[in-house]
Amino acid sequence: MLKELLVILIASSLVNNVVLSQFLGLCPFLGVSKKTETATGMGVAVIFVITLASAVAGAIYQFILIPFDIAYLQTIVFILVIAALVQFVEMFLKKFIPGLYQSLGVYLPLITTNCAVLGVALTNVQKNYGILTGVVNGFATAVGFTISIIILAGIREKLKYNDIPESFQGMPIVLVVVIIHIHRHVKPYPADLVHDGGERLQIHRHIVVHRHAQQIPDRRSHRRLDKNLD
């Protein structure tokens, strides 16, 4: 159990990153990544919302939707849960951390419509994760989002001091950086291979090596053929 949770923690946060691999949550990723401080605050808010939403959504799904045979309402229920949690976070920040609340601006309510939050809740249901496993998956996904947005914010802060052509200033150069960032994060293997115990990954490697070996011509056979021709 502990090994499975550790694999999910690493895979969801780094290997199968929600932004760089699944392309979810791009709106706040691009909009709140101008400063590292603001990006960190947004990441912490997303971690809180996704983790708590995974726990509440998982409990509602298992103890209410399934027993009453209304699992088809899962998307609507999950959206309502996420909206309520975002309102709670917004009231908390407005009262206790007004500076961060002003910095996040309109992007804080947009967490409600952040497809990454809803995507995690639906993924937990599709993969039949329990409440604990779903919480770990949600926390890891949110951590991956936070890592990505902080890295992009740091790059954007450095770009301010560079001599960038006028036509690329602003969002164009940010999109170029994001494309390069995503390209470097391309997975060599499918995402479902990462969640296994390694057996399928070893089989996949064996198949690739075997196919590669078949494509390489045998130099000794060519030499024999040349001698026979002579």
Side-chain angles (χ1 to χ4, degrees):
M1 181 65 179
L2 183 60
K3 181 181 178 180
E4 180 184 356
L5 294 178
L6 183 60
V7 170
I8 293 176
L9 184 65
I10 297 176
S12 298
S13 59
L14 300 177
V15 180
N16 198 25
N17 189 277
V18 67
V19 177
L20 304 180
S21 296
Q22 303 180 45
F23 310 112
L24 299 177
L26 292 178
C27 180
F29 177 69
L30 296 175
V32 197
S33 57
K34 295 180 180 180
K35 296 182 180 179
T36 306
E37 182 179 357
T38 307
T40 304
M42 184 67 175
V44 172
V46 170
I47 289 175
F48 176 80
V49 172
I50 291 184
T51 304
L52 199 55
S54 300
V56 176
I60 292 176
Y61 182 79
Q62 291 191 12
F63 299 114
I64 297 179
L65 298 183
I66 292 182
F68 289 95
D69 197 21
I70 52 175
Y72 57 89
L73 295 176
Q74 61 183 13
T75 303
I76 299 176
V77 173
F78 292 167
I79 291 176
L80 293 176
V81 169
I82 294 169
L85 292 175
V86 171
Q87 289 298 318
F88 174 76
V89 173
E90 187 174 1
M91 290 186 296
F92 177 82
L93 293 179
K94 187 175 182 180
K95 185 175 182 61
F96 295 102
I97 316 177
L100 180 59
Y101 175 79
Q102 294 293 334
S103 300
L104 294 177
V106 70
Y107 293 99
L108 182 58
L110 282 179
I111 298 179
T112 306
T113 58
N114 189 346
C115 52
V117 185
L118 180 61
V120 172
L122 294 177
T123 299
N124 293 338
V125 172
Q126 292 173 358
K127 294 188 176 182
N128 295 323
Y129 285 160
I131 297 179
L132 177 60
T133 308
V135 170
V136 172
N137 180 53
F139 174 78
T141 302
V143 169
F145 174 85
T146 304
I147 294 173
S148 301
I149 195 173
I150 291 177
I151 292 176
L152 180 61
I155 295 175
R156 293 183 68 172
E157 287 183 348
K158 297 295 184 182
L159 289 176
K160 293 180 180 179
Y161 304 102
N162 294 334
D163 186 15
I164 301 174
E166 185 177 355
S167 58
F168 279 91
Q169 291 180 5
M171 189 56 66
I173 190 63
V174 175
L175 293 177
V176 172
V177 171
V178 171
I179 292 173
I180 296 174
H181 199 32
I182 291 175
H183 178 72
R184 295 181 62 183
H185 193 268
V186 173
K187 301 183 296 298
Y189 302 106
D192 57 344
L193 295 177
V194 180
H195 291 278
D196 266 355
E199 182 178 354
R200 290 183 60 197
L201 186 58
Q202 294 297 331
I203 295 174
H204 181 79
R205 286 177 176 172
H206 175 73
I207 294 174
V208 172
V209 172
H210 179 68
R211 289 178 179 175
H212 183 65
Q214 289 180 336
Q215 295 175 358
I216 298 177
D218 190 353
R219 295 182 178 178
R220 289 176 296 179
S221 62
H222 282 285
R223 290 175 181 174
R224 296 193 195 101
L225 181 61
D226 293 339
K227 291 181 179 179
N228 293 334
L229 291 176
D230 292 340

